[in-house]
Amino acid sequence: MPDFRQVRRRCALLLPVVLLLLGAAPGPDRPVVDTDRGPVRGVGHGAYDTFEGIPFAAPPTGPLRWRLPEPVRRWEGVRDAGAAGPRCVQLPVVGTGGPTGSEDCLYLNVTAPAGRAAAGRPRPVMVWFHGGGFFSGAGDAYRPDRAAVQGGAVVVTVNYRLGVFGLFGHPELGGAPDFALADQRAALRWVRANAERFGADPHHVTVFGESAGALSVCAHLTSPASAGLFHRAIVQSGSCSTTAPPRALLPGLGTYEPFVPERQTVADGALAAARLGCDRPGGVLDCLRRLDPAALATAELMQRFSLVSYGNDVLPLEPRRALEAGRFHRVPVIQGATRDEMRLFLAQTLAAYPIPDEGAYRARLAQSFDAPTARAVEASYPVSAFATPAVAWATVLTDASFVCPTLRDGAALGRHVPVYAYRFSDRGAPDFTGLPEPPDLPYGAAHGFELPYLFTVVPLTEPQRRLADRMTGYWTAFARTGVPAAPGAPPWPRDRNGSAVLSLAPGAGGIRTVDARAEHHCALWDARWPGVTRTR
């Protein structure tokens, strides 16, 4: 089957040439907006317009590799914005293969309602940071037309440097500057400068993201460097306290912590440079910058440098500690998780590390927790209460790693700002991943499975489309007013302690308030697994 997305991009690239040959002037199907760096020509889609591949910073190549993003030069003439720019260098998420993408990748995409905004009612802006573990993904993988058409929002999706290109540290860099976050801040500054040109309000900017994108939002919430760049935040499946127990998925894995001390990243960078033959004092960075991107984009280096550093000017404190101390930007927050987050991750390891019976389940408990905690967890999650031992273990990991840490963060945030908590609960959500589903571990409402309800990804059933309409209404109303109150949708109460979480599922009564702390045994996890065990 042809890749119609690629076909559309190629057609978009050819269209300016065809128009020129025919002597046609740009029409409603090729809208032009004059940005602060020059005009761009987008593509009209009837009810909405897209402007893709707009550079928001200079290409971080050659001597600009591992430097903070610099302004892009102004261009002459009208720049075609009918196709996405190159994706950042990355490796395939699944399977083998070499790196794809380019270091010249700092591009963003704008989706806006067609026509002018009503007088005196500029549109809100929603800036999307994609997921992918900080080593894969791209902004153009997400089509936000539903938010633009139904929600009247201008949505910006952003590329940012990944892996070793985005989160490298070294003594000659003076630490680990978190270039990925710096790229995102550069995109937010672009939004501030250009929102009005797309009919949007630069004073109503919402940052939202899922997985690594949610961790990015958490970082901006707690980063002094991001002050004033946004006014609301949505955190989807990646809270400031997200962590996974040691040996949760494979025997050789330690505790997963997305935020690590800067000194750890710097030490890893010095070791990596020496292994690459770049260890001459004073010339390490020059040596590394001369290397071909393929020499750096190895599986080991892309994974090693996929953790965000704190203990620097960008993140003075570990983000979860910053929340506890009240040191974060005072903006309203939506945050939540899916009901079965960890099933997707566990499913990819079961063939190598199966959980065939109750004995294997107990062995997993003993390997990941101390003895008293293992006993307490088994009492709350007896294998007999689940369809299979694998489902039992995935439920343990989901509650310990995602749901309860998210609610814990919500309590810290809620002492200072409005917080609205959700749980995506549609266990019939479509699987858009293409990854094999083990017979003993159905995906259910797994990590990322809410995305087709906010972006145009795969077809939905009629009940699911109605849920998507409600979710889009909540998200865009929040972007507009700071309150997720959509016409015709059930009320979404503020959450203060995890007892008022909006469960999102299709069908009659599918959207309802639940006591998530009780349903997910969060008292147990708050007492037994508050979060962090250093293993590296």
Side-chain angles (χ1 to χ4, degrees), residues 62 73 142 177 295 343 449:
R73 293 180 179 178
Y142 301 85
R343 291 192 190 188
F449 276 39

Side-chain angles (χ1 to χ4, degrees), residues 506-511:
I511 300 179

Side-chain angles (χ1 to χ4, degrees), residues 373-396:
T373 300
R375 288 193 295 271
V377 173
E378 186 176 8
S380 294
Y381 299 81
V383 73
S384 59
F386 300 91
T388 68
V391 171
W393 183 239
T395 305
V396 167

Side-chain angles (χ1 to χ4, degrees), residues 146 430-432 452 455-460:
R146 188 181 291 120
D431 174 14
F432 63 96
F455 299 93
T456 302
V457 179
V458 292
L460 301 172

Side-chain angles (χ1 to χ4, degrees), residues 95 113 128 213 278-280 409 412 414 459:
W128 175 254
C278 294
D279 53 1
R280 181 170 58 83
D409 283 357

Side-chain angles (χ1 to χ4, degrees), residues 377-425:
V377 173
E378 186 176 8
S380 294
Y381 299 81
V383 73
S384 59
F386 300 91
T388 68
V391 171
W393 183 239
T395 305
V396 167
L397 296 180
T398 292
D399 293 357
S401 302
F402 279 94
V403 176
C404 295
T406 297
L407 296 177
R408 197 178 304 136
D409 283 357
L413 289 160
R415 289 195 287 269
H416 303 277
V417 299
V419 175
Y420 300 89
Y422 75 88
R423 182 188 69 192
F424 179 76
S425 304

